Amino acid sequence: MIWGVLGNKNSGWKISLRDCFLHQEEDSEEEPKLKYERLSNGMTEILQNDAASCMTVHDKVEVMIHHPQGHFRVRFTHLAQTFHISSVKINQISLDESGEHVGICSEDGKVVALHPQFTRSNYKQFVTGGNKLLLYERNWLNRWKTSVLHEGEGTITNIKWRANLIAWANNVGVKIYDISTKQRITNVLRDNVSLRPDMYPCSLCWKDNTTLIVGWGSSIKICVVKERNPTEMRDLPSRYVEIVSAFETEFFICGLAPLADQLVTLFFVKENSDQMLCARPRLDIIQPLPESCEEISSDALTVRNFQDNECRDYRLEHSEGESLFYIISPKDIVVAKERDQDDHIDWLVQKKKYEEALMAAEISFKNIKRHDVQKIGMEYINHLVNTRDYDSAARKCQKVLGKNMELWENEVYRFKTIGQLKAISQYLPRGDLRLRPAIYEMILHEFLKTDYEGFATLIREWPGDLYNNMAIVQAVTDHLKRDPTNSTLLTTLAELYTYDQRYDRALEIYLRLRHKDVYQLIHKHNLFSSIEDKIVLLMDFDKEKAVDMLLDNEDKISIDKVVEELADRPELLHVYLHKLFKRDHHKGQKYHERQIGLYAEYDRPNLLPFLRDSTHCPLEKALEICQQRNFVEETVFLLSRMGNCRRALQMIMEELADVDKAIEFAKDQDDAELWDDLISYSIDKPPFITGLLNNIGTHVDPILLIRRIKEGMEIPNLRDSLVKILHDYNLQILLREGCKKILVADSLSLLQKMHRTQMRGVRVDEENICESCHATILPSDMAKTFNVVVFHCRHMFHKECLPSSGTIPGLQFCNICSAKRRGPGSGILEMKK
C-alpha cells in the first residue's frame, strides 16, 4: 500500500530520538549542523504495512492520507473529517498560502481540490500536469476555463508555483511561466540525458519569489528571475532568467531546500554501481559558489529499508516558517532541524569539552531550555575530580557553586573523602556568604596535622571570625607541647592571639621570635603601655626601628622612662640619645653631660660634632674627659671655645704636628698674635716654614715670615713656595685692579644715569606749593612775571623765598636737603635770615 502524508509542524505527532540513528564517526571533532528525529505517534505502525509517497507541511492544518480497505482517503485531523480520494498512488500534495485548500494528484492523472468545510474546493486557479500543463481558472460565471500552458515534451513530473511564477519539469528540461504576463520566460535544459527521468526525477524548490533551485541527476542550478530593461524588450518577455550558480555533485539529488544562503541537499548514494547496492541516503548542507560548492556538513541517515530504495523513493520537504526538513522514504519519515544552543551544549559535554560547554551556557543562559549552568558546572567538576585534576576542580567550585552553601559543603566533604582538602581550602567563600565554622575548623585541623606552613598561610588569609578561635588556639598549643621551638607554630599562635585581642601574649611571642611584625603590632593596637618594660628587648631586636618608634611616640613613652629602662645598657642608651639629639638639640639637654662619656665610649666620630652643636654641654667636664682619653682634636676645640687659643694651637703643633691644621685653626680664629705664635713655633722647623709659605700669603704679609728665617737654613721646595707667594701677590694685584675698573665703570654709569634723571623736565602746576612760604607755586594771575626755582630733589621755592646764595655767588642749594645733612632746624633758620 502507498501513503501520502500532509501534516502541521505543530501537530500532535511526537518525535522519538531513540528510533532515529545518525550514522557519524563517534570520535569526529566536527560538530554536526543538524539533528534528526523520527516521526512517531502511530506512524511507525502504519508504515510497517504501507509506504509513504509524499508529504507536505503547513502552519494551520494537519492532513493525513491513508488507505483503508483499498481506497485512499484524506483526513483533516483537527476537524475529524475524512474524504475519499483515490485507489492509486498519490504523487503530490499541495496547499495554498492560507492553508484552506488542498490539491492532490494521483498516479492515474487525476487531481482533486479540497476545502475542509466543503466537499470540493472553490479554488479560483490551479494547474495540473500529465502530458499537458493545464491552467484552470474560474470565470465570472463561476465556470472553469482551461488553458494549455505547455505540451508535446513528454510527461510533466514536477510542478512548483510561487507568486506569479510557475515552474515545471518534463523529459526535456525545466520551464518557467509568468502567469501575470501569460509568457513563458525560459527553458533550462536537462544536463545528463542518459538518466531515466522516472528513476531520477527533477527536484524543484523556490527559495523566494524570484529564485528557483533546480536539481536533476547530479547537477544543481540556481536560477534568478529578473526584470528585463525596457529598451531591450522588443519581442522578448518582460522577464528573463539568469543562472547564478551551476555545479555538479558527487551523488544523485533526491530533494532540495534553502537554508539562509546555503542549500540542504538530500542525496541518493550507491555503494557499488555494478551490483546496484544502495547505501544510506545523505543529507548535506552546501554553500553554493558560481561554478562549484563548498560542503559545510554531511550526514548519512539510517532510514528503514534504505537498501531497497531508489532515488525516486526519497523526498525532501521543508517548512518555511522555521528550519525544519522532512526526509520521506517509503518506510520512514525523519525530521531534520537546526541544532540550537542546547544541542550545541550536548555535543560539547559528549566530547568532554566542559569548559566550552560551561562558557556557552553562561553566554546563552536566557535561551537554553534543557540545560542549567550550575548542573553543567557540576558535571565539569566531577570530570576534573575523576581525572585527578583536583586543583582545577577546586578552582571551578568558586565559579560554579557560587552562593549555594549546601553545594559548597557537599563538595568540601567530597574533597575530604578523597584526601584533597588542601586543594579546595584556598577557594572557600570567606566574604559575606560563609559556610558553617565547623567546615573551616575541619580544614584547619587537617592542615595542622600535615602542613604547618599551609596552616599558617590559611590563618593569615582567613578572617579570624570564620572559625572558633579558641578551639584553634588550643589545637596549636597542643602541637607546641610536642615541638615548643617551632617558629611557624609560634608565629601562627601570635596571630591567633591578635585576632582574639590578647595582644600582650602575641607581643611576647613576637619578641621571643624577634619577628618583624612586632612593631606593626604595637602601632596598630597602641600597645605602648605594654612595652615600657620591654624596651631593651625591642632594642636588642632592631635598634633603628625601636628608637624611631620610641621617638615618634614620646607622648606615650617619655624620654625619662626610656633613659631609665636603658640605664644598664649604655650602648643602647647612646643610640637612643644620639637620635634624640639629631632630631632636636634641646629636648634631651639634661642628658648632654652623660652623652659626653657615651660618645667618648661608643661613638667618638660623632663626639666633636656633638660638642660643636650642643649649647648645654659643660665644657669643663667635656675637657676633662677628652684630656683623660687623649682626644686631641676634641681638646683643641674645647680649649679654643673656652678662649685658650694659644694652648690649643700649641697642642696642634706639638701633639698633632700638623701645620695645615694649625694654619686652618689660625685662619678660623683670625688673631694676629696666633699667627705670630705659629711663626715663632715654626721658624726652626723647615717643613713647617714650607707649609706657612704656601698658605700664609692671603692672611699675613709673607715678608714677616721671610725676614725671620735664619740664613743658611735649608727649606724644602723654597723656590716653589716663593713662586707661589709671587703668583698669589700678582693675583691679588690683578684682582684689585679688576675691582677698581669695575668700581669706576659702575660709578660712571650711575653718575650718567643720575645726570639723565636730573636733566628731565619737572611738571609744575597749581597743586605744587613753595616749600618755604607754603603758598601755591604758581600765582593766581599768570600774566604777571614770576620766578620759580626747582631743585633736582624736586623741592620747589619762589625765588624771593630763598635765602642769599652765600659764599659762592649764583650757587643755590635746597634748604631742606641741606638741613638734613647739617642737623635739625638749620634749614628754617637759614630761611629766616
Side-chain angles (χ1 to χ4, degrees), residues 3 39-50 304:
W3 271 77
L39 287 180
S40 59
N41 195 20
M43 290 302 298
T44 303
E45 293 76 8
I46 293 173
L47 292 177
Q48 286 179 353
N49 300 318
D50 299 334
R304 295 189 182 97

Side-chain angles (χ1 to χ4, degrees), residues 770-805:
C770 174
E771 297 294 341
S772 178
C773 66
H774 300 291
T776 57
I777 200 69
L778 297 178
S780 57
D781 186 3
M782 296 294 291
K784 293 182 179 180
T785 303
F786 63 94
N787 293 316
V788 175
V789 178
V790 180
F791 291 97
H792 292 302
C793 59
R794 297 304 189 264
H795 291 135
M796 302 179 186
F797 298 89
H798 295 125
K799 187 174 182 181
E800 56 271 17
C801 293
L802 284 173
S804 59
S805 57

Side-chain angles (χ1 to χ4, degrees), residues 162-182:
R162 181 74 173 249
N164 292 324
L165 299 175
I166 303 173
W168 70 92
N170 55 28
N171 295 341
V172 177
V174 176
K175 280 76 176 174
I176 300 177
Y177 183 86
D178 187 351
I179 198 169
S180 63
T181 60
K182 308 259 184 222

Side-chain angles (χ1 to χ4, degrees), residues 183 228 232-239:
Q183 291 177 315
R228 196 184 299 275
E232 300 175 357
M233 280 189 185
R234 300 177 189 154
D235 296 330
L236 299 174
S238 61
R239 293 183 176 185

